[in-house]
Each structure stands twice: as C-alpha cells, then as structure tokens.
C-alpha cells in the first residue's frame, strides 16, 4: 500500500520505474498508466475512499512542483554544485559516508556498500546538479520540533528525528542529470536536469490543496495543512526532516502531525520482493473480504513495533470478534421472550451492581475511543470497543434474561406460575436487553470506520436510522427510536 495519508503516489521512485519500463519493453508513461490502475483497483477492493488519486505526471502537479522550485531558488535556497557521494537507486537518495557500510551477500559471496538505514545497495556517484541549503534550516527545524513535541508519532521516532537534526544537516542534492534520469519533472530553467524525486513527490500533498493558487492565510480552506500524514517508518527522514525544511524555506504551514507506523513481517522476516516473502493484497481481500482484512490490519498492525502477518492470525482475530459481537447480536436480536423495541422505549432501570458497572463502561467508551484516536493509535481504540463487547456478554450471561422472560412472553403476559409481579419481571428483562442493545448500537457505530459493510448490517438489524450513526450518536441513551429491524433477522433463538 502506498505511504500517503490522503493520496496515492503512483510514481514515487522514478528511476526504478524507468528501469522497470525498459525491462518490460514499454514506454514509461504507458508502463505507469498500467501500474497505477492496480493501486486504484486495490483501493476500491479494500473499500478505501479518497478525495484524490494523485499521479505526479499530472499537469497541475508539474506546475506546482516547478513553481515550488522557482520559489526556493528565488529565496536563495537552491544553488548549483558538483556532488559526490554514495547513492542508492532503490532509495533514490544520497547517503553520507558515515551512513553506509560494507556488506556481504551470503548467497553469492559478493561484497557491496549499503545504507545502514535501509540495507539497500549504494554506488559512488560524482555529478554536477542542484542543491538545497538544508543546512541553513537546522535551527528553525529544532525550534519547530521543540514547539510541537508530538509532531512525529510515536515519541521514539520524534526523538530520532530531533537527534538527526541536532547532529547537523548537510545540503541536499535536489536534481539529477537527465542523462541518468529522464523520467520526471524537468528543472524549470535547466532542461538538462530532472527534479529530485522526493522534492517532486512531497509537493503532491500541496497540489490538490490548490497550491500555488492558495490565498495567503487561508490555505486551510483547500485542505492544507494536513491534520495527519500517515507514512511507513522507512521514509521518516524524507517526511519529518526534508519536507518540513522545504516548507519552512517558503514559510508555508507544516502538517500538524506525522504518524509513522511500523512494518508487517512474514514469518518474522521483513517482506522482500527479491526473497518472494510478500503478500498479494488482492488474494487476501478475495479470500477474507475487505472488512475482515481492514479489521485485522487496524487491530494488529504495529505503530511502534513490527507485526507479523499470518493467515491464521486473520482467522483467529475474526473468529474472536464473531464469537463475542456476533453471539451478542444473535442473543439480543433473535431472542424469544422479549422485544428490543419495547426495551429501548422502557430504558434502563437495573440498579444492580452489574447494571451500574455496565452503564459506567458505556458512558466511558466514546471518550476512551476518542482519546486513543487522538493519540493516533486506532488499534488501541478498537481494543476499548472489544473490551465493552466482552463485558456485555458477561453481563448478559450473568443477568440471564432468558430465565426471567420464561415467566412472561414478549408482550409481558404471564406464563404459568410466577414468584414476582409480572411488571417487575418485564421491567427487569427490558432493562437488561436495553443495556445490551445499547452496547451493540454504540459499538457498531464506533466500529464503522474499520468494518463499514458488516457494521451497516449490524445497525440495520438493530433498526438504527441511517441518520443516527455518527460519532456523536455513540452515547448511552442518545437514540430511543431504534429497535425495529430494517432487515430480516432470520430464525430466532428457541
């Protein structure tokens, strides 16, 4: 999956694309057209909605990048110079000598120089190109980090970023000779040079925010600055140092936060095309469905540490959810001897310790979910919902409404001999079912972003109006109109 928050970079690594197109014996643009369709299709298959699918070859993006370049040059941040250094084709960047080391390929015995950070091979390159005066922005970056200590999440990567800048920044090579890289956006006043891929790619965040035609001071109207960039941990330097430096140089607003997530491993090893230990997302979506995959990825995906991908893990996580939430819904919606609609109308009257504890849990849940989402930990937010679902099952099991309802039918009419007044039985059953129904409704609303299709069906089963499914509706007692199913509930429990 591409590493952007609101858009997809279909042509992020230009030289690799150029080589791949040559290998496929295709024109570069035709090659990109074909491959970009796969990302668009994947988004649709995963039920991911986006405002813009950005391709960096689009005319509006080219204009934005070249304007950005000219503004940097006008302010004195771009100059021409000879550049030598260790260059990684895979990473599309130069590394200082202190950031590379000698490695040995165990399969072939070949020795090669590689980046310490990414492990990718580097080669010594000497060429004349343009540079960005990043060294002049170190103090401004550190001041910004100090004023925005949660700019990068998690905190450990924020510390790494601050340390890298504190250790000192060198100027950045921001162009490549056309002879070495022809596919890309040309430097506006020098057609012999192609703009550095990361300068080109990062500006895409501004392109669809109407840059450079924004009204000063009103950039937010078009969607800038971004609330959150979401990126993989392997591109932290580009997004958390280079990108802020570019923006500071032009006095443009910086994104409010950058969430840097860990990676998925397979059999506890980093996924690699060369090793063949990769997952085809289309196959996974076809086998498990988009909702199940979305749930697994958000629930188990790592922010701080890598997570291991395994088909059995997907099955286990979903079975656990199905066993808890699915069982609860079946018990409540298909149960004989009570009416969900009547219970919702009656409300809560259970003053038992278990009832009060459950009410408190439901009252705390929305703020707990909001807390973890604000901290950019969606997996932790989901676990708060799952804990309430489990607690609801325990509450229902201990309260045993089916035993009480055995003395009355769903209309409250007595069945045989009873030991308590009929209306007291009915109120007790209704109170239990109401709290359980509220758990289902609230949890269903909160799980919609992760499992939109299944939660839609769940809320339909509960009879929740489509206009009452927003976050502000996920409050105990906020909706007293549901309870009549909008779809067939199937066979009831005997």
């Amino acid at each position: 999956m591409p590493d952007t928050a609101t858009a997809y970079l279909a042509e992020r690594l230009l030289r690799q694309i150029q080589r791949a197109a040559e290998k496929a014996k295709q024109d570069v643009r035709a090659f990109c057209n074909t491959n970009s369709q796969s990302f668009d299709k994947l988004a649709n298959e995963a039920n991911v909605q986006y405002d813009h699918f950005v391709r960096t070859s689009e005319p509006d993006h080219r204009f934005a990048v070249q304007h950005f370049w000219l503004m940097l040059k006008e302010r004195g941040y771009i100059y021409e110079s000879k550049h030598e250094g260790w260059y990684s084709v895979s990473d599309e960047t130069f590394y200082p000598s202190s950031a590379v080391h000698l490695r040995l390929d165990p399969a072939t015995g070949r020795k090669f120089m590689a980046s310490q950070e990414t492990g990718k091979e580097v080669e010594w390159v000497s060429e004349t190109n343009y540079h960005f005066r990043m060294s002049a922005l170190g103090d401004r970056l550190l001041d910004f980090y100090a004023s925005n200590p949660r700019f990068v999440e998690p905190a450990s990567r924020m510390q790494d970023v601050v340390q890298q800048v504190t250790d000192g920044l060198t100027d950045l090579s921001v162009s490549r000779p056309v002879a070495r890289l022809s596919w890309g956006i040309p430097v506006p006043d020098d057609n012999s040079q192609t703009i550095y891929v990361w300068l080109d790619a990062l500006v895409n965040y501004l392109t669809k925010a109407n840059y450079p035609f924004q009204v000063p001071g009103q950039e937010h109207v078009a969607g800038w600055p971004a609330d959150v960039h979401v990126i993989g941990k392997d591109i932290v330097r580009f997004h958390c140092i280079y990108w802020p430096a570019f923006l500071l140089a032009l006095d443009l607003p910086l994104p409010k936060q950058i969430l840097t997530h860990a990676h998925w491993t397979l059999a506890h090893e980093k996924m690699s095309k060369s090793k063949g230990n990769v997952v085809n997302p289309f196959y996974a979506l076809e086998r498990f469905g988009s909702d199940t995959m979305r749930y697994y990825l958000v629930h188990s995906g790592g922010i701080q540490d890598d997570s291991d991908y395994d088909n059995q893990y997907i099955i286990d996580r979903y079975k656990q959810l199905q066993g808890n939430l699915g069982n609860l819904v079946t018990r409540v919606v298909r149960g004989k001897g009570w009416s969900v609609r009547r219970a919702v109308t009656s409300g809560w009257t259970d003053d038992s310790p278990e009832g009060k504890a459950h009410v408190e849990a439901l009252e705390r849940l929305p703020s707990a979910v909001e807390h973890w989402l604000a901290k950019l930990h969606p997996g932790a937010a989901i676990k708060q919902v799952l804990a309430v679902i489990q607690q609801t099952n325990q509450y229902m099991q201990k309260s045993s409404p089916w035993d009480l309802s055995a003395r009355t039918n769903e209309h409250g009419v007595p069945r045989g001999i009873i030991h308590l007044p009929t209306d007291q039985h009915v109120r007790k059953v209704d109170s239990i079912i109401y709290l359980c129904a509220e758990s289902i409704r609230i949890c269903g609303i909160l799980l919609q972003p992760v499992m939109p299709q299944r939660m839609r069906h769940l809320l339909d089963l509960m009879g929740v109006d489509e206009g009452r499914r927003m976050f502000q509706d996920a409050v105990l007692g906020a909706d007293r109109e549901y309870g009549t199913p909008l779809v067939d509930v199937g066979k009831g429990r005997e």
Side-chain angles (χ1 to χ4, degrees), residues 102-289:
L102 186 66
R103 294 191 63 179
L104 175 69
D105 185 343
T108 63
R110 185 175 73 92
K111 294 181 179 180
F112 62 95
M113 298 299 290
S115 162
Q116 294 179 13
E117 181 180 354
T118 66
K120 300 296 178 62
E121 184 171 357
V122 297
E123 58 187 7
W124 185 260
V125 172
S126 178
E127 61 190 24
T128 297
N129 51 32
Y130 291 94
H131 289 67
F132 171 68
R133 298 185 191 277
M134 194 160 61
S135 59
L137 292 158
D139 290 341
R140 289 186 65 187
L141 281 169
L142 291 174
D143 288 343
F144 174 79
Y145 298 149
S147 300
N148 300 272
R150 291 194 59 211
F151 176 62
V152 179
E153 289 286 340
S156 60
R157 294 198 187 102
M158 179 78 250
Q159 294 168 3
D160 292 341
V161 166
V162 171
Q163 188 60 53
Q164 288 183 52
V165 176
T166 300
D167 290 343
L169 297 174
T170 58
D171 290 351
L172 180 67
S173 172
V174 288
S175 73
R176 305 289 181 263
V178 169
R180 188 157 68 84
L181 181 61
S182 60
W183 174 245
I185 298 177
V187 170
D189 48 3
D190 185 351
N191 288 330
S192 71
Q193 295 277 319
T194 301
I195 294 175
Y196 173 49
V197 60
W198 275 105
L199 177 55
D200 168 357
L202 288 165
V203 173
N204 97 90
Y205 291 119
L206 293 176
T207 299
K208 295 306 179 181
N210 206 33
Y211 179 84
F213 301 108
Q214 300 161 322
V215 177
Q218 297 184 30
E219 294 88 354
H220 65 282
V221 174
W224 190 261
D227 289 327
V228 184
H229 284 337
V230 182
I231 65 168
K233 67 178 183 179
D234 55 331
I235 53 175
V236 166
R237 183 157 51 96
F238 307 105
H239 279 78
C240 305
I241 299 178
Y242 294 2
W243 182 222
F246 294 152
L247 293 169
L248 287 173
L250 296 186
D251 294 318
L252 291 173
L254 273 62
K256 296 175 184 177
Q257 275 190 297
I258 300 181
L259 172 61
T260 67
H261 59 77
H263 290 163
W264 285 96
T265 59
L266 197 62
H268 303 288
E269 289 188 6
K270 184 178 180 181
M271 293 189 192
S272 168
K273 289 182 181 179
S274 59
K275 290 182 179 180
N277 63 334
V278 294
V279 175
N280 186 318
F282 291 102
Y283 292 164
L285 288 165
E286 182 178 2
R287 177 177 178 181
F288 299 111

Side-chain angles (χ1 to χ4, degrees), residues 281-319:
F282 291 102
Y283 292 164
L285 288 165
E286 182 178 2
R287 177 177 178 181
F288 299 111
S290 63
D291 272 18
T292 300
M293 286 303 301
R294 288 162 63 109
Y295 173 74
Y296 171 66
L297 294 174
V298 176
H299 176 280
S300 302
I303 300 296
Q304 177 68 50
D305 301 312
D306 293 344
S307 295
D308 203 46
Y309 182 98
D310 191 290
N311 286 339
Q312 190 58 49
Y313 294 162
I314 300 172
I315 295 169
D316 291 345
R317 296 292 183 275
Y318 184 68
K319 279 186 175 180

Side-chain angles (χ1 to χ4, degrees), residues 290-401:
S290 63
D291 272 18
T292 300
M293 286 303 301
R294 288 162 63 109
Y295 173 74
Y296 171 66
L297 294 174
V298 176
H299 176 280
S300 302
I303 300 296
Q304 177 68 50
D305 301 312
D306 293 344
S307 295
D308 203 46
Y309 182 98
D310 191 290
N311 286 339
Q312 190 58 49
Y313 294 162
I314 300 172
I315 295 169
D316 291 345
R317 296 292 183 275
Y318 184 68
K319 279 186 175 180
Q320 185 180 33
L321 176 67
Q322 194 175 41
N324 284 317
L325 182 55
N327 180 57
L328 178 63
V329 173
T330 298
R331 279 179 157 182
V332 171
V333 174
R334 298 179 181 175
K336 299 293 186 180
W338 58 71
S339 162
V340 175
R341 178 69 197 124
R342 188 187 69 212
V344 171
T345 303
S346 301
W348 172 60
T349 58
D350 180 11
D351 59 355
S352 68
E354 295 80 12
K356 291 179 179 178
H358 198 59
V359 166
E360 291 174 1
L362 289 175
E363 289 176 339
R364 288 194 303 266
L365 181 59
S367 59
V369 169
E370 189 173 29
H371 166 79
W372 285 110
L373 290 178
K375 291 179 72 67
L376 306 181
H377 284 276
I382 285 180
K383 291 177 176 67
Q384 297 292 317
V385 178
L386 298 180
V388 168
I389 293 171
Q390 185 174 17
Q391 181 177 338
T392 306
N393 272 301
Q394 294 169 350
Y395 168 69
M396 189 171 191
Q397 185 66 34
K398 187 169 183 177
S399 301
S400 301

